[in-house]
Amino acid sequence: MQAIQDLLAETPPWMINTAIALGAAALAILVALVIHRIIFRILRKFAKGSDSSTDDLLVRKLARPSRYALIALGLVLAAREIPLLEKVWERVAGFVMPALVGWIALAVLHAFIHAMTIRADITVADNQRARRKRTRLAIFSRIGTAVIIFVTVGLMLLSIPGVRDIGVTLMASAGLAGLAVGAAAQPALKSLIAGMQMAVTEPIAIDDVVIVDGEWGRIEDIKTTYVVVKIWDERRLVVPTTKFLEETFQNWTKRGSQLLGSIMLYVDPATDVAPIRAEFERQIAEHELFDGRVQNVQVTDLKPHAMEVRLLVSSTGAQELWDLRVAIRETMMDWLRREMPDAIASQRLRATEPVRIEGAPALSQG
């Protein structure tokens, strides 16, 4: 014991204070980790016992940020008793605390968005409401993430005295600075506002079938500044968000996925339409892609060389309608070739006898 007292007497005070501060910090971190482990072990048991998957997701998302938040809380409590540790903490608290709060806010936001996205099941047949919900969640998630990061970084920068002074100077000259920043940020603000409008007005939703710039495709992703359209041939069309608010485009699934489609047959004008109607009704009734809503046969046009017969069909979605149309077109043409070959439109030339005029002299030969 005397040897320890002699060693402490010979050790400089700053070294002793540093050792005490490090020991207190290490002890605070250890206690915080133990408390975090106990709390989250209990929370995981409760989450597993729950029927909802939202609890598991929330616990998993909050595990890491809450661990560092408890460590920061332990250091704050230890710094109250250790002057040297308090001085060090005061220097870094302006960075650490906003970052931890922002991290926790992002974790809660993403957990909420993820849980709500899982509940919006788009694999069901009537998925319009789920697709609209997922679209709103995706847009609000990106906007919320951007706002949280912006506020967090701003609070961290304000803890630096030099940056705070610069901010005061800019506020004093807010007129010129506002004009410059407004002009520079106009495209970004326009895109951000357009993204918010998309979430509120909902001109499109995830997985909507659209025609943009003459291209047929589905909405694959909606960002705050652009929309990704997956074209039928696996290409991606990147369209500015503002285009869907300022220009005309086709949305085939705005109110529902059910659609009507037509199949055109061109037959000889003398063809009897009744057998064609009967065969079409037989084929469409047996087809698995037909939803049973609309089926019709009409003569929509008549020209000297062909008669236009429209077969009207309906199906549950755009892809199903396309497959139904091409299948019925193929089977109907095959039936016409086998059963009514004379009905297929073609150009005919008829041989006629020479025209004879009464009283005209006969033409001599030679």
Side-chain angles (χ1 to χ4, degrees), residues 120 134 230 330 332 355:
R134 284 200 174 191
K230 183 180 179 182
E330 178 181 350
M332 287 299 297
V355 178

Side-chain angles (χ1 to χ4, degrees), residues 7-29:
L7 180 62
L8 292 176
E10 296 176 358
T11 304
W14 66 268
M15 188 175 295
I16 296 176
N17 294 334
T18 302
I20 293 173
L22 291 176
L27 181 61
I29 293 173

Side-chain angles (χ1 to χ4, degrees), residues 111-321:
F112 172 76
I113 295 296
H114 195 176
M116 297 301 291
T117 302
I118 292 175
R119 291 184 178 182
D121 186 12
I122 62 174
T123 60
V124 297
D126 186 9
N127 61 1
Q128 182 183 6
R129 181 175 297 179
R131 290 190 292 106
R132 293 172 58 186
K133 189 174 182 179
R134 284 200 174 191
T135 302
R136 290 195 299 266
L137 289 172
I139 295 176
F140 283 134
S141 174
R142 293 186 178 95
I143 294 175
T145 300
V147 171
I148 291 174
I149 293 175
F150 178 79
V151 173
T152 301
V153 174
L155 293 175
M156 293 173 65
L157 292 177
L158 286 177
S159 64
I160 305 175
V163 175
R164 190 186 303 122
D165 295 338
I166 294 174
V168 173
T169 304
L170 289 177
M171 289 298 293
S173 58
L176 295 177
L179 291 175
V181 173
Q186 183 180 1
L189 291 175
K190 184 178 180 181
S191 298
L192 181 62
I193 294 173
M196 297 178 66
Q197 283 184 276
M198 292 275 283
V200 174
T201 59
E202 295 181 338
I204 56 174
I206 298 295
D207 207 38
D208 264 350
V209 177
V210 296
I211 296 181
V212 183
D213 294 336
E215 297 284 1
W216 184 98
R218 291 182 179 271
I219 302 296
E220 185 177 49
D221 197 6
I222 301 177
K223 305 290 186 181
T224 53
T225 56
Y226 64 91
V227 176
V228 179
V229 181
K230 183 180 179 182
I231 309 302
W232 65 273
D233 57 1
E234 301 296 332
R235 290 179 294 139
R236 265 61 175 181
L237 187 66
V238 180
V239 185
T241 304
T242 54
K243 186 180 183 66
F244 291 96
L245 297 172
E246 299 174 354
E247 299 182 17
T248 302
F249 67 96
Q250 294 185 36
N251 189 337
W252 288 12
T253 53
K254 175 63 177 175
R255 296 298 181 189
S257 59
Q258 294 178 326
L259 293 171
L260 300 180
S262 57
I263 305 160
M264 297 300 184
L265 299 180
Y266 295 92
V267 297
D268 189 85
T271 301
D272 185 7
V273 180
I276 298 177
R277 179 178 288 106
E279 176 62 19
F280 166 72
E281 291 176 352
R282 184 191 67 80
Q283 290 188 14
I284 197 66
E286 297 175 354
H287 206 286
E288 59 181 5
L289 296 179
F290 178 55
D291 62 0
R293 292 188 303 120
V294 178
Q295 62 174 36
N296 198 3
V297 177
Q298 293 177 318
V299 177
T300 55
D301 197 5
L302 181 62
K303 295 181 179 180
H305 63 278
M307 178 170 59
E308 183 182 75
V309 180
R310 186 185 70 175
L311 313 179
L312 192 63
V313 296
S314 64
S315 190
T316 56
Q319 187 62 52
E320 292 79 5
L321 179 63

